[in-house]
Amino acid sequence: MHPILFIVFLPLLAAIIAGLGNKQLGKVPAKVLTTGALFISCALSWPIFLGFVAGAGEVTVVPVLKWVQSGSLSFDWALRVDTLTAVMLVVITSVSALVHLYSWGYMDEEPDQPRFFAYLSLFTFAMLMLVTADNLVQMFFGWEGVGLASYLLIGFWFRKPSAGAAAIKAFVVNRVGDLGFMLGIFGIYLVFNTVSIPEILAAAPGMKGTTIGFLGHRWDTLTVLCICLFIGAMGKSAQLGLHTWLPDAMEGPTPVSALIHAATMVTAGVFMVCRLSPLFETSETAMHVVAFVGAITCFFAATVGCTQWDIKRVIAYSTCSQLGYMFFAAGVGAYGAAMFHLFTHAFFKALLFLGAGSVIHAMHHEQDMRFYGGLRKHIPITFWAMTAGTLAITGVGVAGFIGFAGFHSKDAVLEAAFGSGSSVGQFAFWMGILAALMTSFYSWRLAFLTFFGKPRWASSEHIQHAVHDAHGHGDHGHDDHAHGHDDHHCHADHGDGTAGYHPHESPLVMLIPLIVLSIGAVAAGFTFQHAFISEGAGEFWKGALVFHEHLIHAMHGVPTWVKWAPFTVMSLGLLTAWYGYVKNLSFPAMVVEQIGPVYTFVYRKWMFDELYHYAFVVPAFWLGKVFWKVVDIGIVDRFGPDGAAWTVSKGSVYAQKVQSGYLYSYALVMLLGLVGAISWVIAG
Amino acid sequence: MTGFPILSLMLLVPLAGALACLFLDAKGARTVALAATLINLALGAVLWLNFEVGGPQWQFQEKVELFHGFSWALGIDGIALLLIELSVFLMPICIGASWNSIEKRVGEYMAAFLLVEVFMLGVFTAQDLLLFYMFFEAGLIPMYLIIGIWGGADRIYASYKFFLYTLLGSVLMLVAMLWMIHEAGTTDIPTLMAYDFDPRVQTWLWLAFFASFAVKMPMWPVHTWLPAAHVQAPTAGSVILAGVLLKMGGYGFIRFSLPMFPEASAQFAPLIWGLSMAAVVITSLIALVQDDMKKLIAYSSVAHMAIVTIGLFAFNPQGLEGSMLVMLSHGLVSGALFLSVGIIYDRLHTREISRYGGLSINMPRYALFFMLFTMASVGLPGTSGFVGEFLSLAGIYQVSTWTTAVCGTGIILGAAYMLYLYRRVAFGEQKNADAAAMPDLDLREILMVVPLALAVLWMGIYPESFMAPMRADIAALDARLAQAKPRGDASIAVAKDKPAPAEAAHEGAH
């Protein structure tokens, strides 16, 4: 049996057992089972990936089961392994295994743990089905499967109204994209008479120059198909317009955010574009759309990220922005660079989220950075891990030499955009540079607000509850973690901004994933740069995506200032953040005052939520009421059955006897009809 | 196959059970009804196992000449087989759902239910036009009684509405049938399916049948009887109404309208598409604003049935097979959803959504199954809801991209109203003490929902079991429709300087 079968189905099996066993099974067996399954999957995935890195991997398709055959439309369950899949396999199983482990600590107080771990494993299964799909419909299965898991996990704390609302929003907004995906699949079947990915990709160039009717107009066939599919990608990968669900998805437990809403699920759109790159390559218009949407998103999300106070929301907008980088890389044809950034981003963004989780854990679920400060002394390991993540995302490194993970991948993306020579590539480059400036700013802002300065959590409600509870239940809880501050026990002592509360470092099960991911954030860039984006990377990809060698040459040939530009803006962002959040604390408020309306607009996330609420949600409910009360009851019923009843019952008590009355008349009509029928037939 | 009249036996068993129930006390009637439906389920299994896939079109045929022209003629093809299996599968669950909740006139109730089964199976097995008509119309009488006697407070109005709508269609259909018998000189359905009626006459015949099937389906705007009937019907009544009786409209289209009047069907296809588009959007939006659980699911049924009608009028195998799968899936899923509503209704005696909340806390097992059925209803891949919906939409895409796009919004709106329902019922805090005290599923309820859940997953993961029996029949129907198939609006055109690639030649693009 091929190891891919175990990689994919062990998490499913674990999810089923843990989910159905639930309370009867107990917390520890559920945790051991799911986490164990993921570590096995992970251990089986790396050899496959390293095999491809070493140039020894083979493209394999493992058939599993027949699915649907209807006329000429047929698709089966099958698992495809090629380079692209292998990259995704290690990303998914590694981050998932670490997140499972991390959750042992993070979710420790949660009574409902088997359910949580079952969902996590279910998610992993669906994601693996997505990346191993050999046809578009199985990809869609994984696509919606991860959507389900995401819905369940965002709504995991279902008692909170905000969690329930966020879960629905995520599912429904994604469904908008999914409709695009479905229309794309239908169109592809119409055009290519197949939904098998390799067959589509082989036939795509032959369809160049044809047109197709769609919604009453004629369009370039391949452009329509690609745009429809890309709308699906925009939904899943939270690109501008369909991004509104991602920040709200932060209602889910933080390990979920790390796994689903940073490292894996949200990158599915990028994966899809790369997987279908030969198709996208056939439509210049579609490529431009991809690049343009990516560039705009990366800029938009970065602006919002600069203004948020919730630590998870900052990272969520950061994710949205980084996904924009991946898309515009793909849009200019640098699929290798897009996948490379996806790969490194998975490690450092999961790290940042898990680090944030560790901070939140230490701060009794306080997520507002205004109530943090000076935490580096209290939670040093978390601090160092977050620093590694920040260095990675901001792309610290020496041009042409070596740097943290994000340095290698983000610079490659920017150089590819510039080197592509197209005007949309130029646009993407400048948007990317601006976003890089803001990335550096908001990332360091987060770091400074959280770990530097003086403690500010005295007025945090969460902390006050924690302190109150600890005192209410005796002092032991805090004495265990006394950092030589035994004199700070009482409420009265608010002078140092701590309210007597002293955060403590997370348990080992949470720190191990942080440390492992830190290694990834430091080393994933230079270790795998050669495989993903060097001149010889075509050997690695083996046709799993379109690899333009000339683009690699163009990347190397960009002017020196282009190579140094990311470093320059990174430094600028760092300095600004340092000035505003360490040196001169009144500076940010001053700036906000200066740019008032602009700040409000950005802080309110460009008003997308308000816009959609009034453009879609309110009219939908209003229309529903109108169709129900006015059309159904007011018109159809009034002139239909009620009108008939009124006519019949007028001046008689007939209506009171309908029950028996109508039954008999009904039977009578039938009987009469039959008699008539039979006599006619006999007579005829 | 062996000449054993298994179809007649399947009609006889519930009939005998119904008669017995009339003379038994409550306990005896329940037992007899359960036994009769289980025997029929077993017979259904025998039927399925002995059905020869790829064999003759009509199997298990029986024919007894009664009098001139009219005969007791039964027989099934793959399409009928699947609907029979759906019926016999749901019946024991309906009896189970009525086990405790029906307390008055139990004998009569069970008898009425068994009669519904007789008539349903009669509809799917009849091969004589008049026999079909009898079963088709008679099936409504026990249903009418179930709503009118064992229904909720407003049951009289509901059963009256139900009756009035149906009456109109029935009369017109009967007239059309009589004309057809006169014209073709036979009441034999297989013969009529191959009879070429004059296309001008087809128009009128098609409209007459349409009047009946559109109400049964129900299609917008003749759907308003459905929410009323569902709301007032007892749980099992809703299950069988949504599960099987709504399928009679679809069965009517696939058995009569399409093969007998192919030209008229093509002529009226845009009408069907238009009504279906309206149904999906309008009833989905209405479902969004409902406060009554049963009404919400009833409106969602109208939206789902619109996916059936677009598939039927897509004139290709994907659309036809897709619509059959939507019918089967909807039978399971809406049945399961009404059952889910019934389970909590039995505990709290209200259908008002806002009275519930936070059920995931005190009823975790229930929440799990309700989630599964919700997801199947919104068409999550891997559940039964997806395959049919996907094929139907893929089918209609080949003839009308507009219809696909508009009906496709159903996947968005469907997710919205179903998840909104789920959130209000299962998520959130426990607002009401009585709802919070409700116990989780008991053994009887688990025995009802588990088979439904397994069937939903089976049809989603390996639909081949359900597609194989009907493949040849759909192919035959598709061939019959080929003469009238409308040209799609998505047809690929090749630019001047490029030769057409071979792959471009596609059946939908002719």
Side-chain angles (χ1 to χ4, degrees):
Chain A
M1 280 173 101
H2 197 280
I4 190 70
L5 289 166
F6 294 96
I7 295 174
V8 174
F9 290 109
L10 276 181
L12 174 66
L13 194 66
I16 292 173
I17 296 173
L20 293 182
N22 211 331
K23 300 251 159 70
Q24 284 86 342
L25 189 65
K27 285 181 197 176
V28 177
K31 288 197 283 196
V32 171
L33 193 69
T34 51
T35 313
L38 255 298
F39 272 94
I40 295 172
S41 282
C42 182
L44 292 170
S45 298
W46 275 94
I48 295 179
F49 173 66
L50 294 175
F52 279 101
V53 172
E58 264 180 57
V59 178
T60 334
V61 178
V62 183
V64 178
L65 188 71
K66 190 180 178 65
W67 193 5
V68 168
Q69 190 208 327
S70 174
S72 62
L73 176 59
S74 77
F75 40 91
D76 295 336
W77 301 103
L79 305 176
R80 178 188 179 83
V81 185
D82 59 11
T83 311
L84 196 56
T85 305
V87 172
M88 295 305 288
L89 285 182
V90 290
V91 167
I92 297 162
T93 56
S94 306
V95 177
S96 180
L98 291 172
V99 164
H100 272 76
L101 183 64
Y102 179 93
S103 304
W104 285 52
Y106 192 84
M107 302 299 282
D108 193 37
E109 291 164 15
E110 180 59 47
D112 218 0
Q113 284 177 50
R115 188 165 64 90
F116 179 77
F117 282 87
Y119 288 170
L120 275 188
S121 294
L122 177 71
F123 165 78
T124 313
F125 161 73
M127 190 69 205
L128 290 168
M129 287 298 276
L130 194 166
V131 298
T132 55
D134 195 38
N135 65 61
L136 286 174
V137 188
Q138 186 182 326
M139 191 190 269
F140 191 70
F141 166 83
W143 197 264
E144 294 253 292
V146 293
L148 166 68
S150 166
Y151 164 82
L152 292 170
L153 284 164
I154 295 169
F156 180 73
W157 285 315
F158 57 81
R159 290 165 191 240
K160 279 201 299 185
S162 56
I168 293 187
K169 188 170 174 184
F171 199 92
V172 173
V173 174
N174 263 293
R175 275 261 159 152
V176 177
D178 292 352
L179 176 59
F181 195 164
M182 267 177 108
L183 291 174
I185 298 177
F186 298 149
I188 280 192
Y189 170 61
L190 180 76
V191 173
F192 298 107
N193 203 19
T194 177
V195 289
S196 152
I197 294 173
E199 288 176 28
I200 296 162
L201 300 184
M207 296 307 293
K208 265 187 166 175
T210 59
T211 60
I212 192 168
F214 182 65
L215 302 185
H217 292 271
R218 291 208 76 78
W219 316 76
D220 178 65
T221 306
L222 292 156
T223 304
V224 164
L225 299 182
C226 290
I227 301 276
C228 283
L229 293 169
F230 180 62
I231 291 171
M234 285 174 68
K236 201 53 85 196
S237 294
Q239 293 300 287
L240 189 67
L242 295 179
H243 68 283
T244 53
W245 63 273
L246 182 61
D248 289 26
M250 298 300 124
E251 288 292 339
T254 309
V256 173
S257 314
L259 175 61
I260 302 186
H261 307 120
T264 57
M265 182 183 86
V266 289
T267 62
V270 181
F271 168 80
M272 183 230 261
V273 174
C274 289
R275 169 62 90 205
L276 301 177
S277 49
L279 180 68
F280 278 81
E281 282 288 313
T282 59
S283 167
E284 204 184 347
T285 317
M287 292 288 280
H288 284 173
V289 170
V290 173
F292 186 75
V293 170
I296 292 278
T297 307
C298 106
F299 173 78
F300 150 79
T303 61
V304 181
C306 291
T307 60
Q308 300 300 303
W309 291 112
D310 183 310
I311 187 169
K312 286 182 73 180
R313 287 199 179 231
V314 173
I315 308 178
Y317 277 104
S318 161
T319 304
C320 192
S321 171
Q322 298 297 314
L323 291 165
Y325 278 100
M326 297 174 208
F327 273 113
F328 77 66
V332 299
Y335 305 99
M339 284 306 294
F340 188 36
H341 197 51
L342 186 161
F343 180 77
T344 61
H345 174 260
F347 292 103
F348 64 69
K349 190 51 68 67
L351 171 63
L352 284 170
F353 260 121
L354 293 185
S358 183
V359 172
I360 293 166
H361 188 72
M363 297 300 287
H364 277 269
H365 292 273
E366 177 55 76
Q367 294 183 195
D368 192 324
M369 296 190 294
R370 282 172 291 196
F371 298 116
Y372 291 170
L375 283 171
R376 73 179 183 283
K377 292 183 201 115
H378 297 276
I379 45 175
I381 300 177
T382 304
F383 165 67
W384 282 111
M386 288 284 276
T387 306
T390 309
L391 290 168
I393 192 176
T394 55
V396 175
V398 181
F401 186 54
I402 198 166
F404 290 90
F407 161 77
H408 291 277
S409 56
K410 191 197 278 181
D411 283 20
V413 167
L414 289 167
E415 284 165 17
F418 189 89
S420 73
S422 64
S423 52
V424 68
Q426 291 294 313
F427 173 74
F429 171 77
W430 286 109
M431 283 288 139
I433 289 290
L434 281 175
L437 171 68
M438 290 183 281
T439 305
S440 174
F441 172 75
Y442 67 65
S443 301
W444 289 111
R445 171 178 176 263
L446 184 154
F448 292 141
L449 278 170
T450 307
F451 294 107
F452 290 80
K454 291 204 175 65
R456 295 184 299 272
W457 56 77
S459 48
S460 157
E461 279 182 28
H462 293 268
I463 299 297
Q464 282 171 356
H465 279 297
V467 173
H468 184 76
D469 287 352
H471 284 265
H473 298 104
D475 281 356
H476 64 277
H478 279 266
D479 289 346
D480 289 347
H481 302 282
H483 297 268
H485 288 276
D486 288 335
D487 50 333
H488 287 304
H489 263 297
C490 54
H491 278 286
D493 191 354
H494 287 188
D496 61 354
T498 64
Y501 177 74
H502 298 286
H504 40 216
E505 188 60 279
S506 300
L508 198 60
V509 284
M510 290 169 69
L511 296 178
I512 291 171
L514 288 182
I515 293 162
V516 175
L517 287 168
S518 300
I519 297 169
V522 172
F526 59 76
T527 311
F528 294 106
Q529 181 181 25
H530 184 76
F532 280 79
I533 49 167
S534 67
E535 271 92 348
E539 293 290 301
F540 170 66
W541 292 111
K542 287 197 176 70
L545 46 69
V546 174
F547 186 76
H548 294 299
E549 213 169 298
H550 65 86
L551 200 58
I552 301 291
H553 290 297
M555 281 164 65
H556 290 299
V558 296
T560 315
W561 69 266
V562 172
K563 284 188 192 294
W564 282 96
F567 182 81
T568 314
V569 293
M570 183 277 295
S571 314
L572 212 58
L574 168 59
L575 279 176
T576 318
W578 174 79
Y579 183 75
Y581 296 96
V582 178
K583 178 84 173 113
N584 180 1
L585 295 174
S586 61
F587 182 66
M590 209 178 75
V591 174
V592 166
E593 200 164 312
Q594 286 296 315
I595 58 165
V598 177
Y599 174 81
T600 311
F601 178 68
V602 174
Y603 179 69
R604 302 276 296 274
K605 305 146 195 169
W606 293 31
M607 304 285 184
F608 270 98
D609 281 337
E610 290 83 351
L611 177 72
Y612 286 178
H613 183 70
Y614 290 108
F616 299 115
V617 180
V618 172
F621 278 84
W622 180 79
L623 277 173
K625 285 229 161 64
V626 169
F627 283 134
W628 180 30
K629 301 272 187 194
V630 178
V631 180
D632 260 27
I633 296 173
I635 299 173
V636 177
D637 276 356
R638 184 164 163 222
F639 297 107
D642 295 357
W646 182 81
T647 316
V648 170
S649 64
K650 199 180 172 194
S652 81
V653 287
Y654 194 52
Q656 268 81 55
K657 293 190 278 184
V658 276
Q659 186 192 333
S660 52
Y662 280 120
L663 179 64
Y664 290 130
S665 52
Y666 187 78
L668 192 68
V669 166
M670 222 188 93
L671 203 65
L672 285 175
L674 267 180
V675 170
I678 293 159
S679 43
W680 190 10
V681 171
I682 292 169
Chain B
M1 293 284 93
T2 53
F4 179 76
I6 186 169
L7 295 177
S8 292
L9 186 62
M10 288 179 78
L11 296 179
L12 194 64
V13 168
L15 184 65
L19 289 174
C21 283
L22 286 175
F23 301 102
L24 286 168
D25 63 349
K27 194 158 172 268
R30 287 186 188 117
T31 318
V32 166
L34 185 64
T37 53
L38 285 175
I39 290 170
N40 248 18
L41 179 61
L43 287 172
V46 172
L47 192 70
W48 197 351
L49 291 173
N50 285 299
F51 186 84
E52 197 185 335
V53 173
Q57 185 183 4
W58 301 102
Q59 303 187 18
F60 306 102
Q61 281 181 303
E62 307 165 19
K63 189 162 189 175
V64 181
E65 294 281 348
L66 292 181
F67 41 88
H68 186 67
F70 178 63
S71 54
W72 177 261
L74 303 180
I76 56 167
D77 61 354
I79 294 168
L81 172 78
L82 292 168
L83 291 165
I84 290 170
E85 297 302 334
L86 177 68
S87 314
V88 295
F89 177 75
L90 286 176
M91 277 309 293
I93 295 172
C94 287
I95 303 297
S98 318
W99 203 260
N100 297 331
S101 58
I102 301 296
E103 284 158 351
K104 62 167 186 173
R105 300 166 84 172
V106 178
E108 285 99 324
Y109 176 87
M110 292 296 172
F113 247 93
L114 291 171
L115 276 180
V116 171
E117 180 168 23
V118 175
F119 296 136
M120 284 184 323
L121 295 178
V123 165
F124 299 135
T125 54
Q127 288 213 304
D128 183 283
L129 201 57
L130 292 172
L131 192 62
F132 168 85
Y133 181 76
M134 249 168 52
F135 284 131
F136 191 77
E137 299 304 329
L140 297 169
I141 297 175
M143 196 63 226
Y144 182 75
L145 288 172
I146 288 168
I147 297 173
I149 298 175
W150 292 274
D154 218 7
R155 57 184 184 268
I156 305 295
Y157 175 67
S159 51
Y160 155 71
K161 229 177 174 178
F162 182 56
F163 156 77
L164 199 70
Y165 266 113
T166 322
L167 177 73
L168 171 80
S170 305
V171 173
L172 290 173
M173 186 170 78
L174 182 64
V175 173
M177 280 181 167
L178 296 175
W179 195 92
M180 284 162 68
I181 295 167
H182 192 68
E183 162 80 19
T186 178
T187 56
D188 184 48
I189 292 176
T191 314
L192 286 166
M193 284 168 68
Y195 190 89
D196 292 311
F197 290 99
D198 182 342
R200 275 165 304 171
V201 184
Q202 279 187 24
T203 305
W204 296 105
L205 295 175
W206 190 94
L207 281 172
F209 276 79
F210 174 71
S212 176
F213 299 150
V215 168
K216 289 281 181 344
M217 199 81 203
M219 292 180 74
W220 187 86
V222 289
H223 65 284
T224 61
W225 63 271
L226 185 72
H230 269 308
V231 165
Q232 299 306 327
T235 300
S238 289
V239 172
I240 210 70
L241 183 60
V244 186
L245 290 177
L246 293 194
K247 309 302 168 294
M248 291 189 175
Y251 180 74
F253 278 124
I254 209 168
R255 178 67 76 229
F256 297 93
S257 305
L258 288 170
M260 294 183 191
F261 326 121
E263 279 82 13
S265 295
Q267 185 193 344
F268 284 110
L271 170 72
I272 298 276
W273 301 339
L275 293 180
S276 303
M277 285 192 269
V280 168
V281 175
I282 293 176
T283 55
S284 294
L285 287 171
I286 295 178
L288 198 58
V289 298
Q290 295 307 309
D291 302 317
D292 180 312
M293 283 191 268
K294 274 185 147 183
K295 238 180 205 173
L296 192 155
I297 299 168
Y299 274 110
S300 89
S301 291
V302 183
H304 280 111
M305 287 299 109
I307 305 294
V308 174
T309 45
I310 55 164
L312 289 173
F313 286 82
F315 300 91
N316 51 44
Q318 289 83 38
L320 292 166
E321 287 180 356
S323 61
M324 274 300 293
L325 286 177
V326 176
M327 283 200 264
L328 296 175
S329 165
H330 180 264
L332 297 173
V333 175
S334 69
L337 285 171
F338 278 118
L339 189 63
S340 302
V341 172
I343 285 170
I344 51 178
Y345 180 84
D346 285 347
R347 288 164 172 66
L348 210 60
H349 298 285
T350 175
R351 298 179 309 267
E352 204 180 318
I353 297 169
S354 57
R355 289 279 286 109
Y356 297 91
L359 292 192
S360 296
I361 299 166
N362 54 318
M363 301 179 74
R365 282 201 210 109
Y366 173 79
L368 174 71
F369 284 106
F370 193 27
M371 179 88 263
L372 174 69
F373 298 135
T374 299
M375 281 298 155
S377 173
V378 304
L380 193 84
T383 65
S384 60
F386 171 71
V387 187
E389 192 173 85
F390 182 84
L391 288 177
S392 272
L393 290 170
I396 194 70
Y397 188 93
Q398 296 166 36
V399 285
S400 168
T401 50
W402 264 116
T403 311
T404 317
V406 174
C407 290
T409 59
I411 73 163
I412 303 168
L413 295 170
Y417 63 70
M418 283 311 293
L419 294 182
Y420 187 42
L421 168 70
Y422 190 82
R423 177 189 166 194
R424 285 177 289 171
V425 171
F427 284 0
E429 283 294 349
Q430 296 169 312
K431 287 172 299 188
N432 303 305
D434 48 358
M438 299 194 309
D440 207 346
L441 301 181
D442 61 25
L443 183 65
R444 176 181 65 89
E445 289 159 342
I446 286 177
L447 286 176
M448 290 190 293
V449 292
V450 167
L452 282 166
L454 292 177
V456 161
L457 291 173
W458 179 12
M459 202 184 284
I461 294 165
Y462 190 70
E464 179 62 16
S465 310
F466 305 90
M467 297 179 75
M470 65 173 164
R471 189 164 286 134
D473 302 306
I474 297 291
L477 180 56
D478 186 51
R480 170 92 177 140
L481 291 169
Q483 52 180 306
K485 185 177 285 189
R487 185 188 152 84
D489 67 345
S491 54
I492 305 163
V494 180
K496 295 157 252 159
D497 53 340
K498 277 254 182 183
E503 306 92 293
H506 184 268
E507 53 189 342
H510 293 319

